Amino acid sequence: MSPAVMSPAPHRCLVLAGSITGAVIVALDGTVLTVAQPTMQRDLHASVGQIQWTSTGYLIAVASLLVLAGRLGDRYGHRRVFAAGILGFGVTSAGIGLAPGVGWVIGLRVAQGVCGALLQPATLGMLRAAYPPDRLGMPIALRTSAIGVAAAAGPVVGGALTDWLGWRAVFFLNVVPGLVTGLLALAVVRVPEPARVSGVRLDLPGALLLAVALVCLVHTLVGIPETGWTTATTLGLAGAAAAAGAFVRHVWRGANPLVPPSVLRSAAVTSALGILVSASASMFGTLFVGTWFLQDVLSLDPLRSGLRVLPLAAMMVLGAPVAAVLLRRHGPRRTAMAGMALLALGVLAFSRLDRASTAVTMGGCFLVMGAGFVTVMVTATAVIVREASENHAGVAGGLQQTAMNIGPALGVAAATMLMRRGGAFVPAMGPALAVLAAVAVSGALLAARLPGPGPGSVTGAAQRRTASSASSATCSERQDST
């Protein structure tokens, strides 16, 4: 069957498969690299700072370009941008695997970050174009489950490949899936593109202002765990705030701003973005503290520590489809508030752990945190993608991915500063986690601004679609009778 006459069901399955593959490749790349970095450092005779830049350079490139990449998808089509991103990701992965020195690795990782920025918003933009708004919950849930599988499998796969074949095999892992998926996206997949896509203009000054703000913010947050609070840290945050302020002013006054004012005016979209930042900050800040607790306080090796966290990964995989069902039945507001409450409860429970705590108790804490976090991810992402029009789906996807990049960096930076001030680890762990739980509670307050069951919810959208179909059928019957 040719792409032009492909039935809706196979068409959507291909789009969903491509979206999931792209998201998994990016998620797996980040988790396997962490395991391979010590071996990479020894093999390339690199310093600790150089190895850190293999992650920092990638993160800065991704975070600074996500929204611009989403706008490129709105203008030129999400399928084309997706194909360019995933093909580039595969090619740069092969280049890193063949790199002769650490300088090449860092440079190619930055290039890979550019490709990742192209890829990530397009995975959501394609879903928005292929699925009706009231049916986006389950595809997004399946995508989230796949990311959970990648995050859980990454350390195991990375460790095995590094032990058996060396660190270069970690990067070769992405080559074949990236190239095959990109070629299939170009040759087979057809995604309906919004009307008047060519009328969307690129706002390069706005993109530059946003990039400067995000580069200053991410670079500062990433550096805090190593340097603490310094003059450079203060200047970095001040520069980020100034650039962000200039960007917001440009958005409201520009003729064709990078982020349409209609997106910023949407209480649902801005609240959902804030929820993602607070939830990911709370979760990843807690995981940072938890890793130190498991390995430095309880003296567990990395494998046993990973097994203690396994309930969180399992809940990410199994809980996403359940979250999609809850979203459809109860609406975004109640579902997100329940998820944030569970996340806050899990973080508070973890703050009560000590050296005498059992593996079952720790597993229960991670289980509750995982249930809350996956519920929030599915709900907030569905709100952002659904509320934006098809012409702005790429920008919405870029904003969602930006929130998911800033939140973890913010959470780890906050946890690091709180732990530094606390002195001994165990006494400092409780106050640090209490602050992270408060961050989750702030997300629950933002969730109160999301649509409830009714006209603004997923259920309401389905009801409107049904009513519209019924009305159209009635009109057709009247015309036939006439």
Side-chain angles (χ1 to χ4, degrees):
M1 180 179 294
S2 65
V5 296
M6 188 177 294
S7 62
H11 158 73
R12 288 174 181 163
C13 288
L14 285 173
V15 172
L16 179 59
S19 176
I20 288 175
T21 303
V24 165
I25 285 177
V26 173
L28 193 62
D29 176 82
T31 53
V32 299
L33 175 62
T34 303
V35 179
Q37 281 178 329
T39 304
M40 182 195 302
Q41 180 185 356
R42 291 192 297 270
D43 187 40
L44 297 178
H45 307 289
S47 66
V48 174
Q50 288 174 321
I51 292 300
Q52 286 177 340
W53 265 102
T54 63
S55 295
T56 303
Y58 174 89
L59 180 59
I60 289 175
V62 167
S64 61
L65 296 174
L66 281 168
V67 178
L68 177 61
R71 178 53 94 195
L72 290 173
D74 290 333
R75 179 171 183 177
Y76 297 109
H78 301 296
R79 178 180 64 90
R80 296 187 185 94
V81 174
F82 170 82
I86 200 166
L87 287 171
F89 206 93
V91 170
T92 52
S93 294
I96 295 170
L98 298 172
V102 69
W104 281 95
V105 173
I106 294 173
L108 286 169
R109 281 288 288 171
V110 173
Q112 193 176 51
V114 174
C115 297
L118 293 173
L119 168 62
Q120 293 181 61
T123 63
L124 292 173
M126 291 194 304
L127 291 180
R128 176 65 178 86
Y131 286 86
D134 54 295
R135 297 183 183 178
L136 276 170
M138 191 56 70
I140 288 175
L142 294 175
R143 179 180 178 274
T144 303
S145 290
I147 292 173
V149 171
V156 178
V157 173
L161 287 174
T162 303
D163 287 341
W164 297 339
L165 301 173
W167 66 268
R168 297 179 187 274
V170 166
F171 293 98
F172 289 132
L173 181 67
N174 296 322
V175 176
V176 173
L179 296 180
V180 170
T181 304
L183 293 175
L184 287 176
L186 289 175
V188 179
V189 176
R190 293 294 180 267
V191 179
E193 298 297 345
R196 295 180 296 177
V197 169
S198 59
V200 179
R201 298 181 180 178
L202 296 181
D203 175 21
L204 295 182
L208 179 61
L209 287 172
L210 182 60
V212 170
L214 292 173
V215 166
C216 291
L217 178 61
V218 173
H219 184 266
T220 301
L221 293 177
V222 170
I224 284 177
E226 293 296 323
T227 63
W229 194 267
T230 64
T231 302
T233 302
T234 304
L235 292 175
L237 292 179
F247 173 74
V248 171
R249 181 177 180 181
H250 176 80
V251 166
W252 290 112
R253 297 188 177 186
N256 294 283
L258 180 67
V259 179
S262 60
V263 175
L264 296 181
R265 290 192 192 102
S266 172
V269 171
T270 54
S271 298
L273 290 171
I275 289 167
L276 285 177
V277 172
S278 61
S280 57
S282 180
M283 168 61 77
F284 285 90
T286 302
L287 286 177
F288 173 81
V289 176
T291 300
W292 282 97
F293 176 73
L294 292 172
Q295 296 189 17
D296 283 27
V297 176
L298 301 185
S299 300
L300 299 178
D301 57 46
L303 177 60
R304 293 171 64 193
S305 298
L307 292 176
R308 296 289 176 92
V309 186
L310 197 58
L312 188 151
M315 187 54 66
M316 286 286 294
V317 175
L318 301 176
V322 177
V325 174
L326 294 175
L327 174 62
R328 178 172 290 276
R329 290 183 178 178
H330 301 290
R333 183 189 306 154
R334 294 177 182 174
T335 307
M337 290 182 72
M340 294 303 296
L342 283 174
L343 178 57
L345 180 63
V347 175
L348 283 176
F350 198 91
S351 70
R352 308 299 298 174
L353 298 180
D354 54 28
R355 291 181 176 87
S357 300
T358 64
V360 174
T361 304
M362 294 178 194
C365 294
F366 285 121
L367 194 72
V368 174
M369 284 191 289
F373 185 65
V374 73
T375 301
V376 171
M377 271 196 67
V378 171
T379 304
T381 301
V383 168
I384 293 168
V385 177
R386 189 190 73 241
E387 290 291 328
S389 67
E390 287 190 36
N391 285 341
H392 303 320
V395 169
L399 290 171
Q400 188 269 352
Q401 293 292 323
T402 301
M404 291 302 299
N405 277 274
I406 291 176
L410 183 61
V412 172
T416 301
M417 288 188 293
L418 292 168
M419 297 298 292
R420 284 177 182 270
R421 293 181 178 180
F425 186 91
V426 174
M429 187 176 80
L433 292 178
V435 171
L436 293 172
V439 172
V441 172
S442 69
L445 298 177
L446 286 174
R449 301 181 63 197
L450 296 181
S457 68
V458 176
T459 305
Q463 291 172 348
R464 293 197 306 273
R465 185 175 295 276
T466 302
S468 175
S469 300
S471 176
S472 299
T474 303
C475 292
S476 298
E477 290 173 359
R478 290 176 179 174
Q479 291 174 356
D480 292 341
S481 62
T482 303

